[in-house]
């Protein structure tokens, strides 16, 4: 990343939705289309044969495109033509906010991820690999498809689906197996338990910034979520049945610039279960002209410089979202990354072990090629 590069328009997140046959990934996709938070979604189906998405059926012809009637589009493509379709779907005429690639039940999802990361399309950004797992048939699926462990190892988010069919102890056992699939020395994917593929769309993408006449009520924002949590008491009458009850969200604001070395140390060691980080970072004297947009999903991490607006308050604003995370601990760790925070007693100031300021700001992390 070039620290002097001009600001770019909002990029469209591309999410890979994977899972073996019967796991419920198409059910989850239909749920996202029905609860799309005002977004226009582009769906790329990497499969052959008839693909049913609600009442709409995409004929088995590779290269076919149909409108889903709500501003969303659906395409059936061969993986070799993925980049061509991404170019089409990111054009101004499509007016899409997010793209979801539903991988074939027998596809190697990491190959799709590599294609997205290798794409030279400036209008897209990697939105994460979501692996859907059938909690009730997990052992049988592993026996038929032992490669599932490889898929789980590279996933950014695992949706443990069909939890209505198994007890709590069995859900925990399966979740432990999923955690064990992580590569040595690397945190495993965040795991969300679900039934009928019902997860909060905000786990994957943000609500649309523009009004949508078809939306009777807008999707909760992160700010709404935090306000609801503080206003509503736990217990009976609480909102455990809401979709967002399955995950935690942390909002962090600092009026003091962040120390790049400390922030990078935090990001390099972010805990298991922390799935998404978004927002803007102020590095103070490191770059007076720019704030840095931070986008992290799973192990993917990127900074983008953007000029400060005239009169815009110089502050860091971040939102972190995940499952099984400790919000108070995360907030404290971020507070310790501020320039005026006292360094940890055992922290070394040896310059030979520190990254340079611009080395930090150009830092990009992606899933390992050999994952």
């Amino acid at each position: 990343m070039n620290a002097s590069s001009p600001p770019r328009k909002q990029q469209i997140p591309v999410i890979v939705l994977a899972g073996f046959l019967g796991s419920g990934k198409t059910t989850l996709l239909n749920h996202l289309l029905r609860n799309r938070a005002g977004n226009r979604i582009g769906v790329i189906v990497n499969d052959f044969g008839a693909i049913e998405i609600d009442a709409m059926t995409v004929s088995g012809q590779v290269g076919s495109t149909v409108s889903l009637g709500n501003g969303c589009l659906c395409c059936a493509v061969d993986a070799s033509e993925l980049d061509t379709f991404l170019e089409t779907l990111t054009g101004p005429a499509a007016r899409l906010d997010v793209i979801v690639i539903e991988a074939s039940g027998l596809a190697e999802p990491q190959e799709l991820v590599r294609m997205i990361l290798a794409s030279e399309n400036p209008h897209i950004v990697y939105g994460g690999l979501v692996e859907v797992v059938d909690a009730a048939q997990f052992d049988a699926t592993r026996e038929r498809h032992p490669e599932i462990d490889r898929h789980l190892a590279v996933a950014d988010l695992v949706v443990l689906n069909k939890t209505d069919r198994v007890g709590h102890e069995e859900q925990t056992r399966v979740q432990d197996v999923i955690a064990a699939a992580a590569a040595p020395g690397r945190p495993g994917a965040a795991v969300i338990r679900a039934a009928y593929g019902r997860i909060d769309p905000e786990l994957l993408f943000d609500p649309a910034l523009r009004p949508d006449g078809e939306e009777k009520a807008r999707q909760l924002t992160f700010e709404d979520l935090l306000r609801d949590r503080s206003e509503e008491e736990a217990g009976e009458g609480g909102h455990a049945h809401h979709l967002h009850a399955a995950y935690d969200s942390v909002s962090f604001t600092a009026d003091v610039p962040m120390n790049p070395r400390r922030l990078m140390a935090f990001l390099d060691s972010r805990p298991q279960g922390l799935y998404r980080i978004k927002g803007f970072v102020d590095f103070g004297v490191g770059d007076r002209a720019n704030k840095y947009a931070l986008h992290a999903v799973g192990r993917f991490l990127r900074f983008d410089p953007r000029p400060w607006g005239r009169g815009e308050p110089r502050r860091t604003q971040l939102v972190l979202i995940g499952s099984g995370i400790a919000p108070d601990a995360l907030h404290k760790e971020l507070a310790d990354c501020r320039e005026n925070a006292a360094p940890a007693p055992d922290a070394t100031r040896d310059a030979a072990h520190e990254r340079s300021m611009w080395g930090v700001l150009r830092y990009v992390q992606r899933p390992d090629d050999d994952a």
Side-chain angles (χ1 to χ4, degrees), residues 227-264:
R227 184 165 55 250
D228 284 350
R229 185 166 290 135
S230 64
E231 292 177 351
E232 223 174 315
E233 293 184 356
E236 276 195 40
H239 57 295
H241 62 287
H242 289 190
L243 289 173
H244 64 243
Y247 66 87
D248 293 299
S249 179
V250 179
S251 180
F252 175 80
T253 301
D255 293 321
V256 176
M258 304 296 280
N259 179 287
R261 181 185 59 83
R262 295 181 201 169
L263 182 62
M264 288 310 309

Side-chain angles (χ1 to χ4, degrees), residues 165-223:
R165 302 185 183 182
V166 297
H168 181 77
E169 289 186 2
E170 177 63 6
Q171 294 176 35
T172 301
R173 183 192 70 81
V174 173
Q175 191 163 339
D176 289 343
V177 175
I178 293 171
R186 180 184 302 168
V191 179
I192 291 290
R193 303 185 187 189
Y196 305 101
R198 295 171 184 164
I199 65 172
D200 194 323
E202 280 200 74
L203 276 166
L204 306 181
F205 50 81
D206 299 330
L209 298 178
R210 49 175 167 62
D212 189 326
E214 296 175 357
E215 292 291 316
K216 299 295 186 292
R218 67 179 176 83
Q219 179 75 15
L220 287 175
T221 65
F222 285 114
E223 291 73 21

Side-chain angles (χ1 to χ4, degrees), residues 256-370:
V256 176
M258 304 296 280
N259 179 287
R261 181 185 59 83
R262 295 181 201 169
L263 182 62
M264 288 310 309
F266 167 80
L267 294 171
D268 282 340
S269 61
R270 51 196 188 274
Q272 180 173 341
L274 181 54
Y275 174 58
R276 288 183 68 200
I277 307 175
K278 64 172 187 174
F280 297 93
V281 181
D282 174 21
F283 284 116
V285 296
D287 188 349
R288 293 286 192 190
N290 294 302
K291 58 186 175 182
Y292 281 76
L294 170 58
H295 169 75
V297 56
R299 293 184 298 275
F300 176 84
L301 172 66
R302 190 177 67 188
F303 286 102
D304 282 321
R306 300 184 184 180
W308 290 104
R310 179 174 296 181
E312 181 180 359
R314 303 292 181 105
R315 62 168 62 107
T316 293
Q317 294 178 296
L318 297 173
V319 174
L320 302 85
I321 183 169
S323 175
I325 58 177
D328 291 342
L330 285 176
H331 198 280
K332 182 181 184 305
E333 288 185 58
L334 282 170
D336 289 342
C337 295
R338 296 173 299 177
E339 282 286 8
N340 65 350
D346 59 345
T348 177
R349 301 295 293 177
D350 185 352
H353 292 86
E354 291 186 13
R355 298 184 179 130
S356 70
M357 169 68 73
W358 293 113
V360 168
L361 298 186
R362 291 191 183 106
Y363 180 83
V364 176
Q365 178 176 322
R366 292 177 175 174
D368 295 340
D369 289 339
D370 58 353

Side-chain angles (χ1 to χ4, degrees), residues 17 24-39 41 43 52-54 68 70 72 100 102 132 159 161 192-205 215 219 241-244 246-247:
L17 181 61
K25 62 182 184 296
T26 301
T27 301
L28 189 153
L29 178 57
N30 284 330
H31 168 74
L32 293 178
L33 290 170
R34 290 191 296 267
N35 300 272
R36 56 195 172 85
N39 289 283
I41 302 177
V43 179
E52 185 175 332
I53 297 180
D54 275 339
L68 298 182
N70 58 1
C72 301
V100 179
E102 183 185 4
V132 185
V159 177
N161 197 29
I192 291 290
R193 303 185 187 189
Y196 305 101
R198 295 171 184 164
I199 65 172
D200 194 323
E202 280 200 74
L203 276 166
L204 306 181
F205 50 81
E215 292 291 316
Q219 179 75 15
H241 62 287
H242 289 190
L243 289 173
H244 64 243
Y247 66 87

